[in-house]
Structures are given as structure tokens and as C-alpha cells.
């Protein structure tokens, strides 16, 4: 008999949920991770610190109150990294406690250290020293996540030239910053530093950013960020980053030289598979360290599963958790229905973006007709009360069967609000439900009714012209 029924490598959202789901099904479960990484990238260096930092920035800068109290409104004049770090450390500490207690309550054994395959059923766990503990399991779940990718041509010094992990170790808020890469992580941090008053330049090789989002909403975000003194350099490639005593110069292939106190690279992420000894298990990873899985999250070796960022897209905490749960159920022989097709996307820029379903561009490319219903926060009483005049919610509605094809939200509470639309879509509801529903007043949720009425009125225009 093996030591455990299920052994999980990595305690991030995917690993944690896999371990707890298997334990709830009565299996003997162990999870392996480093002492200072319980909760994974999500709790320690990624989602939670960045979202807490954002909350601290919004509170201390008073940014969201300026529409009401004037442009000079601040809660604190000189915001230091200590002010920002205090909240982050507090939340990380609490979250780690919650996870440790959940694992303990469910009798999941925590093995401290890193694991590597010795054979397809055996993992060696080391915690810094020479001793390697051998652990065997019937089934193994790989949930080792990713680390920031670092281009070889750039010399990271952890002080001036950093990646997204380095943000949490900064010793001061820089007055100028170059962000290389306008992906989700890059643009989230760009907007936080811009809100703090840092002059940010974003360099992006592509001509657009966040191209999977609604174009109009991305334009609105760019307008806001420009208003916070962000400069965008699209279609530009970084040739070199030259370190100087008081900062660095980012040299672009076009010849531009951008001076800044800090350069943050956000150039994608690489799967944490290099030290896993995959070959001993009969597995391999692709050039970006990712492991291929089937629709049940099984790798090429069927008793070994992989979930979370290590399997690639969409690389979100939310999806990683669900993948972990599904993989554990499959590994325990439970019936598994697969991941729901409707996946919400949340981008915690300032202001935030969220959507579910299709975009206008996708529908147009697929020749699927749609009508647009829009609600603007400034026309809602709640929008006036909170001082958000820029927020908007957009519904994409099928004129054929009145189903919702997509919901796109920009502004306060976007990442929460989107779930109303997701629920209507997931339950097969139509725009009629939103027209008829009564929403609390004054709320931002009311924007669903306003947008639904707008879409209905537009659809009625065709009928008004007659057959
Ligand atoms: C700055 C930033 C912001 C983000 N913001 C969001 C957001 O707002 N919303 C969202 O949904 N997602 C966000 N993400 C993505 C989210 O953090 C990841 O999708 C999620 O953490 C992936 O979970 P995971 O289960 O793959 O494991 P991870 O959280 O990546 O953790 C993997 C764990 O495996 C451990 N490990 C690695 N190798 C071994 C080994 N050999 N043995 C044992 N353990 C090992 C690591 O120590 C780590 O603890 C963000 C990411 C970053 C970097």
C-alpha cells in the first residue's frame, strides 16, 4: 500500500482545493510546499498581495473620493511602502492561517519542502538539507504553478530592474517607472503606481493591450490611465535596459531612451517544472514549462494529474481552484462534469474591468448578430453617491432569441457585478428577465435593468419600421 491515496505538489489554489476535495471524500492526502509558500503564488506573491496593495492605494490616495471632494483630496500626503506593506502583510498572514487551518481540519498532511519525482508513484521531498524523504502515492496532482519569465538579455538586480515579485520588496515608491509588457499583471501594477503619483511608461510590443477585452472598455481604461500621467508606447520592443546609479534607461529598438527609477518586467510566466524530475515519472513539459493534460486534467501518465497555472491558460486563481477540485474528484472515481464553459475574467486595474461571454469583435468575426444595451454609472443614483461618473455596463443581446451573449463592466465593483450577468447566462435566462426584475435602489446592480431596457428599445426600433 502507498503512503497516501493522493499526493499534491504545491499548495496554491489548485493544489489546496485538490487536497481538500480528496480529503472530504475520505482519502489519505498530503500536500507538499515550501514553508514560506503555503497558499502558493496566489497568497504570497500574486493575487492577494497585489489586490491588497490596490486596496491600500485606493484608500490612502483617496482617488475614488476626488470627484466629490476635489482633485487635491488625499487620506495621506506621503504614502510610503511601509504604509502599503502593512496591509499586505496583515492579509497574507491571515490568509495563510486560514489555509493551514483548513488543511489541518481536513486532516491533510503538510510535507514541508519541495518535491521531485523519483518514479511514477514516488516523490522525494527535501527541505533545504541533504535528507530526502521518500513518499509514495496512488495518485499525484501537480499544482506547482509558475514564476515570472525573465528575458536572458536583461540583468535583474532586484532593486532597480525587477519583475512582478520584486514589487513586494521595493523600498520606496519610485517617482518614475517603466513597465515592460501590458498584460494583465503589468497593467494592474501600472495603474496602481500611476494612482500613487509615479510617472509610468508602459512599453508593449503589440499594437493593442488586453485584446481579449471589449475594445470600448480598453479605450476607456487607457483614457483614465493617461489622465493619471501614464504614457503608452505600443508597437515598441525593448532592446536593452541600462542600469545607472540612480535608475535605469530602457532603450527601445526605435531608438527611444526612457529614463526611470524602476523598470518592472512583466513578460509572461514560466511553469515551475524544471526541478520536478518529470522524466522519472515518464512526463515532460513544453518550452514554457507547461504540462499537457486532457479534459479530466490527466497528464500523459493517467494516475498523475496537473492543474492550475502549470497547465497554462487561463492561469487564474479562480479557474485553478475549480481544476483542482475536478481533478481530485476524477482521481477519487467521482463523476465529473467538466469545467463550466462560462468563465468570468476580472482585471483589477484602476478602474477595474470584468466580463463574461463574448466580445463585440468575436461576435462580429463569427457573423453572430447582436444588439448592445448600455448603462452608465453617472445616470444611476448609486453612481452619483459614490462619485463614479465613468463606470459602465454593457450587455450584448441576441436579437434572435434575446439571450445574453456577453456582459462587460468597467468601473467600481465590476468584478462583483459581472456575476449577476454570469448567473443569468448560466441559467439560460434572457434579457426579458433583467427588464422585468426589480433591483435594490440605489445600487450599481440596477445598471443591468437600465442596459436591458436600452437593448430592448434598440431591438424594438427594427419592429417599429414594420415588415
Ligand atoms: C501579480 C499577480 C496577480 C494576480 N492576480 C490575479 C487575480 O487578480 N485573480 C486571479 O484569479 N488570478 C490572479 N493571478 C494568478 C493566480 O495567482 C494564479 O492563477 C494562481 O495562483 C495559480 O494557482 P496554482 O494552483 O497554479 O498555484 P500557485 O499559486 O502558482 O502556487 C504554486 C505552488 O507550488 C509550489 N511549488 C513549486 N514547485 C514545487 C515543488 N517542486 N514541490 C512542491 N511545491 C512546489 C510553489 O512554492 C507554490 O507555492 C495573479 C498572479 C500574479 C503573479
Amino acid at each position: 500500500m502507498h503512503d497516501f491515496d493522493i499526493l499534491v505538489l504545491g499548495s496554491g489554489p489548485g493544489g489546496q482545493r485538490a487536497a481538500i476535495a480528496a480529503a472530504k471524500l475520505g482519502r489519505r492526502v498530503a500536500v507538499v510546499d515550501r514553508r514560506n509558500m503555503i497558499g502558493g503564488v496566489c497568497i504570497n506573491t500574486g493575487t492577494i498581495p497585489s489586490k491588497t496593495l490596490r486596496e491600500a492605494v485606493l484608500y490612502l490616495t483617496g482617488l475614488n473620493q476626488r470627484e466629490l471632494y476635489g482633485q487635491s483630496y488625499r487620506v495621506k500626503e506621503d504614502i510610503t511602502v511601509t504604509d502599503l506593506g502593512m496591509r499586505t502583510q496583515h492579509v497574507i498572514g491571515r490568509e495563510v492561517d486560514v489555509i493551514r487551518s483548513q488543511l489541518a481540519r481536513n486532516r491533510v498532511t503538510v510535507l514541508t519542502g519541495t518535491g521531485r519525482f523519483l518514479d511514477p508513484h514516488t516523490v522525494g521531498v527535501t527541505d533545504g538539507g541533504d535528507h530526502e524523504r521518500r513518499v509514495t502515492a496512488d495518485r499525484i496532482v501537480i499544482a506547482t504553478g509558475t514564476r515570472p519569465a525573465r528575458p536572458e538579455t536583461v540583468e535583474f538586480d532586484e532593486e532597480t530592474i525587477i519583475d512582478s515579485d520584486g514589487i513586494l520588496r521595493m523600498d520606496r515608491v519610485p517617482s518614475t517607472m517603466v513597465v515592460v509588457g501590458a498584460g494583465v499583471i503589468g497593467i494592474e501594477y501600472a495603474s496602481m503606481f500611476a494612482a500613487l503619483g509615479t510617472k509610468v511608461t508602459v512599453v508593449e510590443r503589440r499594437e493593442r493591450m488586453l485584446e481579449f477585452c471589449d475594445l470600448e472598455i480598453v479605450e476607456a481604461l487607457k483614457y483614465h490611465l493617461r489622465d493619471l500621467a501614464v504614457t503608452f508606447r505600443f508597437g515598441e520592443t525593448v532592446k536593452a535596459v541600462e542600469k545607472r546609479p540612480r535608475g535605469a534607461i530602457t532603450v527601445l529598438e526605435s531608438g527611444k531612451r526612457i529614463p526611470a527609477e524602476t523598470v518592472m518586467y512583466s513578460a509572461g510566466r514560466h511553469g515551475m517544472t524544471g526541478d520536478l524530475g518529470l522524466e522519472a515519472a515518464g512526463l515532460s513539459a513544453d518550452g514554457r514549462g507547461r504540462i499537457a493534460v486532457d479534459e479530466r486534467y490527466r497528464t500523459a501518465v493517467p494516475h498523475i494529474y496537473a492543474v492550475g497555472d502549470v497547465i497554462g491558460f487561463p492561469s487564474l486563481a479562480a479557474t485553478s481552484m475549480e481544476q483542482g477540485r475536478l481533478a481530485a474528484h476524477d482521481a477519487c472515481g467521482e463523476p465529473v462534469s467538466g469545467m463550466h464553459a462560462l468563465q468570468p475574467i476580472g482585471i483589477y486595474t484602476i478602474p477595474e474591468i470584468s466580463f463574461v461571454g463574448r466580445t463585440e469583435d468575436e461576435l462580429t468575426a463569427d457573423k453572430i448578430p447582436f444588439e448592445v444595451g448600455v448603462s452608465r454609472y453617472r445616470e444611476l443614483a448609486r453612481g452619483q453617491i459614490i462619485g463614479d461618473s465613468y463606470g459602465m455596463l454593457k450587455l450584448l443581446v441576441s436579437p434572435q432569441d434575446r439571450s445574453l451573449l456577453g456582459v462587460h463592466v468597467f468601473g467600481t465593483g465590476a468584478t462583483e457585478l459581472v456575476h449577476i450577468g454570469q448567473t443569468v447566462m448560466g441559467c439560460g435566462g434572457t434579457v426579458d428577465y433583467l427588464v422585468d426584475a426589480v433591483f435594490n435602489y440605489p445600487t450599481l446592480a440596477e445598471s443591468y435593468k437600465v442596459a436591458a431596457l436600452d437593448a430592448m428599445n434598440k431591438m424594438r426600433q427594427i419592429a417599429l419600421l414594420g415588415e
Side-chain angles (χ1 to χ4, degrees), residues 25 29 45 75 121 151 165 233 257 259 299 326 344 377 387 400 447:
L25 293 169
V29 185
T45 55
V75 169
H121 283 284
D165 287 357
R233 297 280 175 226
R257 297 168 69 80
T299 64
L326 294 172
Y377 286 10
Q400 287 156 344
S447 55

Side-chain angles (χ1 to χ4, degrees), residues 7-10 117 140-145 272-273 276 278 283 291 299 304-308 310-311:
L7 179 71
V8 182
L9 294 169
F117 284 98
I140 297 173
V141 180
I142 303 172
T144 51
M272 288 280 280
T273 45
L276 266 184
L278 287 179
L283 288 171
I291 300 175
T299 64
I304 303 178
Y305 292 72
V307 298
V310 78
I311 65 169

Side-chain angles (χ1 to χ4, degrees), residues 179 181-182 186-187 190-191 200-204 207-209 218-236 252 256 258:
V179 173
I187 211 72
S191 69
V200 179
T201 304
V202 177
V203 182
E204 168 59 54
E207 295 295 339
R208 273 180 66 179
M209 65 178 196
V218 175
E219 286 305 318
L221 175 67
K222 284 198 312 205
Y223 170 84
H224 270 268
L225 294 183
R226 286 195 173 109
D227 204 40
L228 290 173
V230 173
T231 305
F232 289 101
R233 297 280 175 226
F234 289 112
E236 297 260 23
L252 306 187
K256 294 186 189 74
I258 312 169

Side-chain angles (χ1 to χ4, degrees), residues 8-16 32-34 37-48 50-51 113-116 143-146 164-165 184-185 188-189 269 272 275-276 307-310 314-321 346 348:
V8 182
L9 294 169
S11 66
Q16 206 190 104
V32 184
D33 209 326
R34 287 171 282 171
M37 279 303 283
I38 291 294
V41 163
C42 176
I43 303 290
N44 296 283
T45 55
T47 314
I48 297 304
S50 64
K51 263 73 269 184
T114 52
R116 67 178 179 112
T144 51
T146 54
S164 64
D165 287 357
V184 174
I185 294 172
E188 283 185 358
Y189 276 129
R269 300 186 61 90
M272 288 280 280
D275 301 327
L276 266 184
V307 298
D309 285 13
V310 78
S315 296
L316 289 169
T319 38
S320 302
M321 290 178 201
Y348 293 86

Side-chain angles (χ1 to χ4, degrees), residues 307-344:
V307 298
D309 285 13
V310 78
I311 65 169
F313 184 81
S315 296
L316 289 169
T319 38
S320 302
M321 290 178 201
E322 186 57 5
Q323 291 167 355
R325 190 183 73 82
L326 294 172
H329 275 227
D330 196 79
C332 296
E334 292 286 310
V336 172
S337 56
M339 183 81 88
H340 200 287
L342 273 186
Q343 300 288 326

